[in-house]
Amino acid sequence: MTTRLIVFAFAALSMTVADVSAQTLVFTDISASTGLTSMPHAKTINGPDKEFQGAGGVAGDFDRDGDQDIFMIGGSAGVDQLWWNDGSGVFTEGGAAAGVARTHRGTGASAGDYDDDGDLDIYVSSLGFGTQDTPGHNVLYRNNGDGTFTDVTATAGVAYASPTIGDTFGSAFGDYDLDGDLDLAVAGWNGGNQLYRNNGDGTFTNVTTTAIDVDMTTVRGFAPRFTDMNGDRYPEILWVADFTTSKYLVNNGDGTFTNMTAPSGTGLDSNGMGNTQGDFDNDGVIDWYVTSKIAADGSHGVGSSGNMLYMCAGNDVFSEESTPRGCNFGMWGWGVTAVDFNHDGWLDLVHTNGFDGPTYSVDPTFLFINDGTAHFTEEAVASGINDTSNGRGLLHIDLENDGDMDIVIFNNAQPVKVYRNDLSGPNTNWLKILFEAPTCSDLPPDGFGTRVEIVSGGMAQVRFLDGGCNYLAQSELSLHFGLGASTMVDSITVFWADGSTRTLSNIGANQTITITPCPIDTNRDCAVDTADLGQLLSAFGDVGVGLITDFNGDGVVDTADLGQLLAGFGTTCN
């Protein structure tokens, strides 16, 4: 057992579990009041053609104003939309003005700053137009930084999944070669699965056949994500797919991947669709959860596996434990995410369901609450989520920046569903972390590939930011921690993708903090100079949370912060 695992094991044994009996976890359906329901997903063929599997979107701060906006797919009889958040969870649609309003057989979307210019770009997956599944219609929109986007697909070279048929579903950005720019994985249900390496000049190279040692044309792909599962910093690809073709691809650290699906004990999901990761038992290693169809009467497929929970023992070895841990049965599972909804320090799960037909269209959304031992109890209806809509994509988002995570469900041929988290009561403290790296940095933007370990109240937790595909949808780019009764985080250790670390101590609860690898570059111009010194001196003596010149995070701008800046004065801070 590594030193890090020993630390987590000790913390798990010694922690004082907060009394959560007074907590009240309630979700409120606020779909109509958000404005998001005014342009529902619509399709040309209202039947079980391939587009019935679609409807997704992505959350991101696309205008960098401090709140989360939403891009969503409109469908072949609708139009793609970009919804701007006013900061209170109320949205205004501006897709046409932004240049992203397109009518097509869209499926999902992902976001990442592929050109490292400081703005989130959007990748949109598509089956084609009208009633035909035709290839080459995926789109990469470059964010111009002024509220508009430019279609750069032709230059970037990422229009295709399959060269012969429109089959693209999920996509995900991630820096698999740790060169500081974001690569792209694109999943195709008819085998058009592609891995695109970012060349750093606005273009991508398709490296699928040279980088991956398994024939990806046999993979019925739905949802990829880049996550470091074995602790070597190089992210694996968790490629969730239909018909028992999911793949666990281990990163070799040299630009190639080895198919370790069978040796790892994964790939057991019969119809893998949703994809999420997290440390569900707080032992310091990341586990993997995949949604897959099942029903008590077998109506969703006799012999179907149900959802799979792959608990990691380290070193790319997993055991499948969904049934004893209470999260196997989920009907026709699609989009899924893992987040601590009740702020008790343990990751919960939510996934949506539905099928375009009379039999399965009433499948409910499932909410699995972690009991503090990585065993789950289904509490959707009890918590106010009484949803039987035709769900596909799903994401978590902090709609109004109040620190608890809300849920957005993208429905096929129906309006979206939005559930606000109205958690109340004592012992519901939290911390949310955002990341910012200067554009001159060698780190990938927005914290992609960053691992964070915190200790609070004797309890250790770990999160990994991968921006992965939940199933046609991507959650906001943040790391969220429930703290229970703790009002202080004793330590935050950031493990950046390049191997460097940063530690902060004694951080107050109930705030969102932004962590940068070079805090002394206060104006983020990639030079530590008199401008930064002047900013610090003007704030000297200030007390509070989130102060940009409080480099050590102790809540006061003082001589310790001045010493850090002077030690790095004159450097480029990259």
Side-chain angles (χ1 to χ4, degrees), residues 353-367:
N353 292 286
F355 191 87
D356 194 3
T359 306
Y360 314 138
S361 58
V362 295
D363 287 357
T365 291
F366 279 66
L367 175 67

Side-chain angles (χ1 to χ4, degrees), residues 264-495:
S264 69
T266 63
L268 304 177
D269 36 285
S270 62
N271 302 92
M273 291 174 280
N275 187 355
T276 195
Q277 51 85 1
D279 182 9
F280 297 110
D281 54 359
N282 282 352
D283 66 349
V285 294
I286 304 297
D287 311 303
W288 183 19
Y289 187 73
V290 178
T291 60
S292 182
K293 66 180 183 178
I294 196 171
D297 61 359
S299 62
H300 292 40
V302 175
S304 298
S305 68
N307 305 323
M308 296 282 97
L309 176 59
Y310 302 111
M311 301 298 293
C312 186
N315 300 316
D316 301 308
V317 176
F318 298 80
S319 59
E320 200 292 300
E321 301 178 17
S322 59
T323 297
R325 293 187 182 271
C327 55
N328 172 261
F329 178 76
M331 296 188 174
W332 195 293
W334 296 97
V336 63
T337 192
V339 73
D340 184 0
F341 287 114
N342 59 7
H343 295 183
D344 65 352
W346 299 86
L347 286 174
D348 309 303
L349 289 160
V350 61
H351 79 76
T352 191
N353 292 286
F355 191 87
D356 194 3
T359 306
Y360 314 138
S361 58
V362 295
D363 287 357
T365 291
F366 279 66
L367 175 67
F368 293 110
I369 298 298
N370 193 327
D371 70 353
T373 67
H375 292 78
F376 298 86
T377 302
E378 205 290 307
E379 298 183 13
V381 174
S383 300
I385 302 177
N386 191 11
D387 174 39
T388 57
S389 52
N390 210 9
R392 296 296 185 270
L394 176 148
L395 57 81
H396 69 259
I397 178 175
D398 187 357
L399 287 166
E400 61 279 83
N401 284 337
D402 65 350
D404 49 36
M405 286 297 172
D406 312 299
I407 300 167
V408 175
I409 302 172
F410 302 98
N411 293 307
N412 188 268
Q414 294 174 348
V416 300
K417 280 281 191 178
V418 183
Y419 287 94
R420 185 183 64 211
N421 187 339
D422 290 325
L423 178 67
S424 63
N427 305 326
T428 56
N429 297 309
W430 57 274
L431 180 75
K432 190 169 79 169
I433 301 176
L434 305 173
F435 300 93
E436 180 183 350
T439 55
C440 64
S441 170
D442 292 331
L443 290 171
D446 295 289
F448 276 84
T450 303
R451 176 186 172 101
V452 172
E453 299 174 1
I454 74 163
V455 177
S456 179
M459 183 178 188
Q461 300 180 58
V462 62
R463 303 282 189 270
F464 185 86
L465 198 155
D466 64 4
C469 179
N470 303 336
Y471 174 82
L472 308 184
Q474 177 185 315
S475 300
E476 69 170 62
L477 293 171
S478 69
L479 294 181
H480 173 269
F481 297 85
L483 304 178
S486 298
T487 59
M488 185 72 65
V489 179
D490 304 314
S491 67
I492 301 173
T493 305
V494 180
F495 298 85

